[in-house]
Amino acid sequence: MTVTRRERLRNAVLQDIKTIALRQMVEQGTAAVSLRAIAREIAMSPAALYRYYASRDDLITALILDSYTNLGQALQTSYNLLLGEPPPAQILGMTRAYRNWALEHPIEYQLIFGNPIPGYSAPMEVTQPAAQRAFIPLAQLLLTLWQEKSIHVPEMYEHIPETIQPHLETWGSFFLISSFTGDACRFYPLLYLGVILWTRLHGLVTLELFHQLTPMVGDPAAMFEHECRQMIYQLGIK
Amino acid sequence: MTVTRRERLRNAVLQDIKTIALRQMVEQGTAAVSLRAIAREIAMSPAALYRYYASRDDLITALILDSYTNLGQALQTSYNLLLGEPPPAQILGMTRAYRNWALEHPIEYQLIFGNPIPGYSAPMEVTQPAAQRAFIPLAQLLLTLWQEKSIHVPEMYEHIPETIQPHLETWGSFFLISSFTGDACRFYPLLYLGVILWTRLHGLVTLELFHQLTPMVGDPAAMFEHECRQMIYQLGIK
DNA sequence: TGTACATCAGTGAACGCGCGTTCACTGATGTAC
DNA sequence: TGTACATCAGTGAACGCGCGTTCACTGATGTAC
């Protein structure tokens, strides 16, 4: 499949627009994205941008999708590097990867997990699968560690609340497809545990990112590390 | 101290402006607040608002301060109602109060904990003490439970990372003033534990509020409850 | 109690700015014969 | 290889809108004597 010069240029501009949009968001916040400001910086007329994105909302959606795949790739890369390490190092490495990505890409993180942008509403049928894909490496890690019996699900999480079980089954089957062998009903507590751990990570990272933690503890990085070790301890990893 | 009719009216209008601003934020997001829109709704000229707030930023700051005291009051009320209950019920009650407040006041929650508003930067010397005050009831609860020996600090949290200890001392002395009796150095691990628990709460609540949890588990309320019980269990509360 | 004056709430017009989007157009790049 | 035509990138002007803030002003509310 040949890529004409025109297509190459087109892709470069598509990318440029997104890069500049992100940069402007870094400076002004996610809500401040503006086609005209982007056009000014890229030295194009505002109208020209409509050759690339059908509307402002379309551009935002593209940025959100990029952010998800970007996060997913960061996690995947980290996962690959950690193969062969002892289980605790693998878990710790992955949590660090999550935190580092957030700190290095605060705007992408806000796009995904922060306040909605005024006047914009994300098309769920597009963003949700993207979200799901981003978390595959985390699920993968838990799954393989568990199958090697390096992890065990703490007692308390063995019983999933009744109202949650059915949702886990529909949603979680996505992660099952590729690599799970064995009794499916034992898989769901593990998945649930994964979500729980994610909420803890997320709390730490979000509060650090928005500078809520620094005035209290001064060194959020140390706190993060400490709390991750506590999680690993709770998982009974050896 | 007499309150003239003029002052009464003035206070009413000050309050009206804030109420309308919040309502518009609910509809359009925190970043969409606009003096002109408020003026339109209140049936005043835009210029008139400058008799009440020196600028748009001033208004936002007022809203943030209100949000903090509002959260603090909700927690305090809940704390008072829980006095006399057994310790686990007290903890559970307070975590619920935090979650309920967030769900019932999503915009105030976003103002405090969410993305910064483009073009606005909060004056820390004003907002931070307000933040501190809001969390007094939570600190109070942990403190009294611990002094009654209904709570113990899990082993893992007895040692605070070295870089964090000094910050806890300056920041945490605020909570000490009123009611702590006994060895101060044993107080800091408890405070640190409080911050940790808060990050967990916050992760759960934030993800629920931004609808990240529903597609996964369906029933975030059940998950919250479940995780809070797990926290209580970890605290060894009897 | 009435009068004179100061204070304050609120107005309306204006300044200068930015926004998303549409439309008829020009001129360059590609394609079919 | 050259020509005719279709496709596409990009322009510039315009539409209608909203924004925060300033300024000189009117008229009502309070205050001192």
Side-chain angles (χ1 to χ4, degrees):
Chain A
M1 151 178 156
T2 57
V3 177
T4 65
R5 181 174 33 181
R6 214 183 228 173
E7 274 179 279
R8 258 201 337 274
L9 283 175
R10 181 162 228 285
N11 287 332
V13 176
L14 275 168
Q15 199 50 58
D16 272 11
I17 293 172
K18 289 193 288 191
T19 310
I20 290 175
L22 270 184
R23 243 248 341 283
Q24 293 190 348
M25 281 183 172
V26 170
E27 284 153 20
Q28 305 266 6
T30 52
V33 68
S34 127
L35 290 185
R36 292 191 99 103
I38 295 166
R40 229 173 291 133
E41 189 166 334
I42 218 174
M44 269 187 178
S45 77
L49 291 188
Y50 285 80
R51 297 267 161 210
Y52 295 93
Y53 295 97
S55 68
R56 185 184 98 115
D57 287 14
D58 260 39
L59 171 58
I60 296 176
T61 304
L63 291 174
I64 291 177
L65 292 182
D66 271 18
S67 301
Y68 273 122
T69 62
N70 197 327
L71 169 60
Q73 278 170 8
L75 293 178
Q76 187 64 52
T77 306
S78 157
Y79 181 73
N80 296 341
L81 287 174
L82 290 162
L83 283 175
E85 298 279 325
Q90 287 191 46
I91 298 254
L92 203 56
M94 285 300 265
T95 62
R96 282 178 186 151
Y98 187 85
R99 171 170 175 270
N100 286 338
W101 188 83
L103 295 184
E104 285 161 17
H105 304 82
I107 283 299
E108 286 95 322
Y109 190 83
Q110 287 179 43
L111 272 175
I112 296 180
F113 296 121
N115 302 5
I117 293 175
Y120 168 80
S121 120
M124 285 275 270
E125 69 283 1
V126 182
T127 53
Q128 211 194 290
Q132 216 149 316
R133 254 175 278 124
F135 284 101
I136 289 179
L138 286 179
Q140 188 72 32
L141 173 66
L142 282 184
L143 199 59
T144 54
L145 286 185
W146 182 72
Q147 284 182 327
E148 301 169 8
K149 297 196 193 306
S150 311
I151 262 181
H152 83 276
V153 176
E155 238 181 280
M156 247 240 143
Y157 292 115
E158 275 173 13
H159 257 90
I160 302 171
E162 283 165 26
T163 48
I164 291 178
Q165 178 77 34
H167 282 90
L168 276 184
E169 284 171 18
T170 38
W171 169 70
S173 56
F174 178 83
F175 294 111
L176 262 168
I177 302 167
S178 50
S179 53
F180 185 75
T181 58
D183 191 357
C185 76
R186 308 211 45 205
F187 169 68
Y188 293 114
L190 184 69
L191 191 63
Y192 182 60
L193 179 68
V195 179
I196 291 276
L197 293 180
W198 174 50
T199 66
R200 293 195 196 170
L201 274 189
H202 186 81
L204 282 162
V205 170
T206 306
L207 286 173
E208 175 176 2
L209 198 64
F210 292 158
H211 308 104
Q212 308 272 353
L213 240 37
T214 315
M216 301 185 180
V217 298
D219 185 354
M223 184 172 173
F224 183 83
E225 206 78 355
H226 193 236
E227 178 68 350
C228 287
R229 284 179 202 283
Q230 164 71 2
M231 292 192 321
I232 289 166
Y233 174 78
Q234 268 193 273
L235 289 174
I237 298 173
K238 46 214 159 210
Chain B
M1 149 179 157
T2 57
V3 176
T4 67
R5 182 175 32 183
R6 215 181 227 174
E7 274 179 278
R8 259 203 332 276
L9 284 174
R10 181 162 227 285
N11 287 331
V13 176
L14 276 167
Q15 198 51 57
D16 272 12
I17 293 172
K18 289 192 286 190
T19 310
I20 291 176
L22 270 184
R23 242 249 338 286
Q24 293 188 349
M25 280 182 171
V26 170
E27 284 152 21
Q28 305 265 9
T30 52
V33 68
S34 128
L35 289 184
R36 292 191 99 102
I38 294 166
R40 230 174 289 131
E41 188 167 334
I42 218 175
M44 268 187 181
S45 77
L49 290 189
Y50 284 79
R51 298 265 162 213
Y52 296 93
Y53 294 97
S55 67
R56 175 179 171 258
D57 287 14
D58 260 38
L59 171 58
I60 296 176
T61 304
L63 291 174
I64 291 177
L65 292 182
D66 272 17
S67 302
Y68 274 121
T69 62
N70 197 327
L71 168 60
Q73 278 171 8
L75 293 177
Q76 188 63 53
T77 307
S78 157
Y79 181 74
N80 295 341
L81 287 173
L82 289 162
L83 283 175
E85 298 279 324
Q90 286 191 47
I91 298 254
L92 204 57
M94 285 299 265
T95 61
R96 281 177 187 152
Y98 187 86
R99 172 170 173 269
N100 286 338
W101 187 83
L103 296 182
E104 284 161 17
H105 305 82
I107 283 299
E108 285 95 324
Y109 190 83
Q110 287 179 45
L111 271 175
I112 296 180
F113 297 119
N115 304 6
I117 293 174
Y120 169 80
S121 117
M124 284 274 271
E125 69 283 1
V126 182
T127 54
Q128 211 196 291
Q132 217 150 314
R133 256 174 277 125
F135 284 103
I136 290 179
L138 286 178
Q140 189 71 31
L141 174 65
L142 282 184
L143 199 59
T144 55
L145 286 184
W146 181 71
Q147 285 183 325
E148 300 170 7
K149 297 195 193 305
S150 310
I151 263 182
H152 81 277
V153 176
E155 236 181 281
M156 249 244 144
Y157 292 115
E158 275 174 13
H159 257 90
I160 303 172
E162 283 164 28
T163 48
I164 292 178
Q165 177 76 35
H167 281 90
L168 275 185
E169 284 171 18
T170 40
W171 169 71
S173 56
F174 178 84
F175 294 113
L176 263 168
I177 303 167
S178 51
S179 53
F180 185 75
T181 59
D183 190 358
C185 78
R186 307 213 44 205
F187 169 67
Y188 293 114
L190 184 70
L191 191 63
Y192 182 61
L193 180 68
V195 180
I196 290 276
L197 293 180
W198 174 50
T199 66
R200 295 199 194 166
L201 274 188
H202 187 81
L204 282 162
V205 170
T206 305
L207 287 172
E208 174 176 2
L209 197 65
F210 292 158
H211 307 106
Q212 308 270 355
L213 240 37
T214 315
M216 300 184 180
V217 298
D219 185 354
M223 183 170 173
F224 183 82
E225 206 78 357
H226 192 237
E227 179 68 350
C228 287
R229 284 179 201 284
Q230 164 72 0
M231 292 192 322
I232 289 167
Y233 175 77
Q234 268 193 273
L235 289 174
I237 298 174
K238 47 216 157 204

